[in-house]
Amino acid sequence: SAVISQKPSRDICQRGTSLTIQCQVDSQVTMMFWYRQQPGQSLTLIATANQGSEATYESGFVIDKFPISRPNLTFSTLTVSNMSPEDSSIYLCSVIPGQNTGELFFGEGSRLTVL
Amino acid sequence: LAKTTQPISMDSYEGQEVNITCSHNNIATNDYITWYQQFPSQGPRFIIQGYKTKVTNEVASLFIPADRKSSTLSLPRVSLSDTAVYYCLVAGNTGGFKTIFGAGTRLFVKA
């Protein structure tokens, strides 16, 4: 299993600003992902955070808007850049502690509101 | 990546057994089937996982037919606290375990 801590848990931001979300895991994990969940919707995969290299982004998400860092196997950050109200969402960090079956563990999420 | 299809919503009453079926017609050989539960304002939580046949844990059972093109999550004797969204997912190491979420099933348990 894995325990995931995300910071901040929630924030209210002004349009045009940027916010960095941190994800800390209590153990080393190979696979780490960032998801977005808009109100009343399912989760959308933003990117796979790769340790020591550039993240792999899903269609519709770009590095300039959502830069991701993964300096080691226990930590990652996601920045939401130049925010607009459409970026208001919950951002979730998830990991797969073991590689055999792909069971995902999630943090509690970071709820962003952009005014 | 295998796409999943589930009912959008289901209603039940306390004490009943609830079965939620998911179809995944293009599941790959090395894909596992995993179900997650999500409450409002929380991240999804693992419920159960299987590859084939039947799997049971303290929370639920998972039934997978031989062709693996569908699966059924069974929740015995649901309570009000089981009201949540349930996601069926398939993923395997061929895709780097990259997991794409479908719409999920919103289960409402009534008193």
Side-chain angles (χ1 to χ4, degrees):
Chain A
S1 65
V3 177
I4 304 167
S5 300
Q6 280 188 238
K7 292 181 181 179
S9 58
R10 59 179 60 231
D11 207 340
I12 299 174
C13 308
Q14 295 299 316
R15 181 195 298 260
T17 62
S18 299
L19 182 77
T20 296
I21 302 167
Q22 298 180 1
C23 176
Q24 179 73 55
V25 189
D26 68 341
S27 59
Q28 292 187 342
V29 296
T30 303
M31 308 299 293
M32 184 179 283
F33 307 94
W34 285 98
Y35 287 86
R36 179 175 73 182
Q37 187 170 32
Q38 295 178 308
Q41 302 297 313
S42 180
L43 287 78
T44 301
L45 180 62
I46 298 173
T48 301
N50 301 309
Q51 192 268 327
S53 65
E54 190 171 289
T56 304
Y57 290 85
E58 296 301 305
S59 176
F61 298 95
V62 295
I63 188 171
D64 290 345
K65 176 66 176 179
F66 297 101
I68 291 171
S69 78
R70 178 97 190 267
N72 55 53
L73 293 177
T74 64
F75 186 78
S76 177
T77 66
L78 168 73
T79 299
V80 186
S81 303
N82 188 26
M83 287 185 286
S84 67
E86 292 71 35
D87 294 319
S88 296
S89 190
I90 299 173
Y91 294 85
L92 295 129
C93 170
S94 72
V95 302
I96 299 177
Q99 295 188 1
N100 291 336
T101 63
E103 178 183 339
L104 281 168
F105 288 82
F106 284 85
E108 291 302 307
S110 299
R111 180 184 294 271
L112 301 188
T113 301
V114 184
L115 303 178
Chain B
L1 295 173
K3 180 181 178 180
T4 60
T5 304
Q6 321 172 216
I8 295 297
S9 67
M10 295 181 68
D11 290 345
S12 182
Y13 289 92
E14 282 189 294
Q16 288 187 333
E17 178 183 79
V18 171
N19 297 307
I20 306 174
T21 297
C22 176
S23 69
H24 26 81
N25 291 319
N26 59 341
I27 187 170
T29 301
N30 61 354
D31 282 345
Y32 284 81
I33 301 158
T34 312
W35 285 79
Y36 293 84
Q37 176 191 56
Q38 186 179 28
F39 298 113
S41 300
Q42 295 185 21
R45 182 175 69 98
F46 172 89
I47 301 175
I48 196 167
Q49 184 181 70
Y51 184 80
K52 61 181 179 180
T53 64
K54 176 184 175 182
V55 179
T56 298
N57 62 21
E58 65 278 7
V59 176
S61 294
L62 179 60
F63 299 91
I64 305 170
D67 65 5
R68 303 200 328 124
K69 294 184 182 298
S70 66
S71 59
T72 299
L73 174 72
S74 181
L75 304 172
R77 299 179 297 283
V78 295
S79 63
L80 296 177
S81 62
D82 292 317
T83 294
V85 179
Y86 293 82
Y87 295 99
C88 161
L89 304 163
V90 294
N93 56 13
T94 299
F97 287 110
K98 184 169 71 172
T99 303
I100 305 299
F101 279 73
T105 299
R106 294 181 181 273
L107 173 65
F108 297 95
V109 180
K110 306 172 186 176

